Amino acid sequence: MSGHSKWANIKHKKGKADAHKGKMFTKLGRELVVASRASGGDMNDFRLKIAIENAKAENVPNENIQRAILKGAGGAEGTVYEELRYEGYGPGGVAVMIDILTDNRNRTAGEIRYIFSKNGGNMGETGSVGWIFEEKGQLRILREGLKLTEDDLMMLSLDAGAEDFEIDEEGFVVLTAPEAMEGVRQALLDQKISVVEAVISPIPQNTIEITDAEQARKMVHLIDKLEDHEDAQGVYSNFELADALADEDF
């Protein structure tokens, strides 16, 4: 069983509490457009299916979802987004990666570079920190309403092909190889287990523990600013907060 990622737990709770619905809808809508364009609107496409389910989990109206899918399937019509990944360093050399969907890479690159520089970090070259991360499927399950015991859920997940199983205050995160995520997700759904979030994203293979409160504040502020950028689809880092800082209000 993996060790707990305190920052991941804090970030997840903070995101649920503080997320602006309009920004969330925009990010999810862009992912629907890109996934639909890539698949030609094929509703059996894995990426598009996950995009739809993630949008529904955030209560995006069905008409918004269908509009985004049709826009993407229309090919050249509408705004064309480019998928990019920027890499850099936060205070203390912490690794940071940002997944981007943009219709203007030059504008976005300049804005992301500015956020790094104003918040104690710097933008790096492609590949500068990417080697620290590994792509993993992540399936989030809430503790509330779960009828299985923790051990039974873990065994079900592992038997279905999961690689690891993490526990946090709100529930559980099942980690898989990217190609195995859909099979594990379906096995959970077959047992009437609700998966509230399904994503494939980078997981750090090693972490840096932050013990200094001021450095922690700077790092959290940098992550917040990057996540608030309208073109950022996901922000990933390899820092963890020390136990003594876990209850700090950043």
Side-chain angles (χ1 to χ4, degrees):
M1 186 181 298
S2 290
H4 298 191
S5 173
K6 302 177 192 66
W7 169 243
N9 296 347
I10 292 168
K11 185 172 69 171
H12 180 72
K13 289 188 292 182
K14 187 177 187 301
K16 292 297 183 184
D18 297 346
H20 299 293
K21 186 174 290 186
K23 284 187 176 180
M24 180 63 70
F25 280 17
T26 298
K27 292 177 188 292
L28 293 167
R30 287 186 182 184
E31 173 60 18
L32 284 164
V33 170
V34 172
S36 178
R37 180 170 289 132
S39 68
D42 180 3
M43 300 299 286
N44 292 315
D45 177 76
F46 174 66
R47 179 177 177 180
L48 181 54
K49 285 169 62 177
I50 293 300
I52 292 170
E53 293 190 12
N54 288 339
K56 288 181 176 179
E58 293 292 342
N59 297 314
V60 177
N62 283 332
E63 56 267 30
N64 292 32
I65 293 174
Q66 292 303 317
R67 190 182 307 119
I69 293 171
L70 290 172
K71 182 177 179 180
E77 297 178 12
T79 304
V80 177
Y81 294 106
E82 186 176 8
E83 295 181 85
L84 302 169
R85 174 168 284 175
Y86 294 141
E87 304 178 30
Y89 300 92
V94 172
V96 181
M97 290 203 311
I98 312 101
D99 281 339
I100 295 290
L101 278 178
T102 180
D103 59 352
N104 187 331
R105 67 154 60 199
N106 292 330
R107 181 204 70 226
T108 301
E111 292 171 352
I112 295 298
R113 185 175 290 106
Y114 179 79
I115 292 172
F116 269 110
S117 66
K118 291 293 287 184
N119 292 280
N122 61 282
M123 198 158 153
E125 299 293 329
T126 299
S128 58
V129 302
W131 58 273
I132 296 172
F133 297 85
E134 186 176 7
E135 297 286 337
K136 293 291 182 185
Q138 300 172 70
L139 304 167
R140 176 167 286 277
I141 300 161
L142 296 182
R143 190 184 308 275
E144 184 179 357
L146 184 65
K147 296 180 180 179
L148 290 182
T149 67
E150 180 181 303
D151 287 344
D152 286 343
L153 177 61
M154 180 171 65
M155 291 309 300
L156 172 62
S157 302
L158 295 175
D159 287 344
E163 294 183 346
D164 214 337
F165 187 84
E166 294 185 348
I167 303 168
D168 63 29
E169 292 181 13
E170 293 188 339
F172 312 93
V173 178
V174 178
L175 299 175
T176 76
E179 63 274 11
M181 187 174 83
E182 174 61 10
V184 176
R185 187 184 71 90
Q186 191 58 56
L188 293 169
L189 295 178
D190 289 344
Q191 296 299 315
K192 311 299 182 186
I193 298 169
S194 178
V195 177
V196 297
E197 185 179 46
V199 295
I200 295 175
S201 61
I203 298 289
Q205 299 182 73
N206 56 71
T207 58
I208 295 175
E209 184 179 63
I210 296 180
T211 58
D212 178 74
E214 184 58 28
Q215 183 187 352
R217 287 189 191 92
K218 290 179 179 178
M219 192 65 223
V220 171
H221 190 67
L222 170 61
I223 297 295
D224 282 347
K225 289 298 184 182
L226 290 170
E227 288 183 333
D228 282 345
H229 192 280
E230 63 179 358
D231 294 337
Q233 294 294 105
V235 180
Y236 319 101
S237 183
N238 73 329
F239 80 94
E240 291 206 28
L241 296 177
D243 288 337
L245 300 177
D247 294 326
E248 290 282 336
D249 183 11
F250 296 114

